[in-house]
Amino acid sequence: MTIFSCGAIFAPAVNFLPHSAAILHNPDFANYPLSDTADFTGLPRGFVRLVRVNRTTGCWDWTGNVAVNPRYPWQRYGQWTVNAKMVRGVLQGKKHTYTAHKFAYVSQVGPIPSGLEPDHLCENKLCVNPRHLELVTHSENMLRHFRRKAVRRG
């Protein structure tokens, strides 16, 4: 099987699902419709310029700066720096760097309660679409991560 991704041709590993197929097979994603339209209300223009909408999956793919965790190099999240800190949905104070998906969530949905973190239902760490994020506890997020990883391996 050959998959075309960004114009490149490559042969995936056995039981590999391309990103769009992984979304369709993810039970957590069942209630999140795929959309051709993107509503960027509440997001700064500079942020939106760094987003590319994937019309197949509905993901808002982040094209800006990406932080790689040296301990876990497969964890790659977009970064967005603002000149002020966001407190309860309001920018205050000095320069602060956020993960792009959390910034998008807070800007469009509201604050993230203590003890919860956004889970990418679409399994795309660079997706910043708030409709593809669900707030869960850290333990639930890790449980979902390992369950999805097991499903991908077969």
Side-chain angles (χ1 to χ4, degrees), residues 118-136:
D119 176 27
H120 287 88
L121 298 176
C122 58
E123 300 182 34
N124 177 3
K125 302 286 187 211
L126 294 178
C127 177
V128 297
N129 186 345
R131 294 189 311 160
H132 291 192
L133 301 172
E134 181 180 19
L135 296 182
V136 296

Side-chain angles (χ1 to χ4, degrees), residues 66-77 79:
V66 175
V68 179
N69 184 337
R71 189 170 177 196
Y72 308 105
W74 61 88
Q75 291 184 353
R76 297 169 182 251
Y77 292 97
Q79 281 190 322

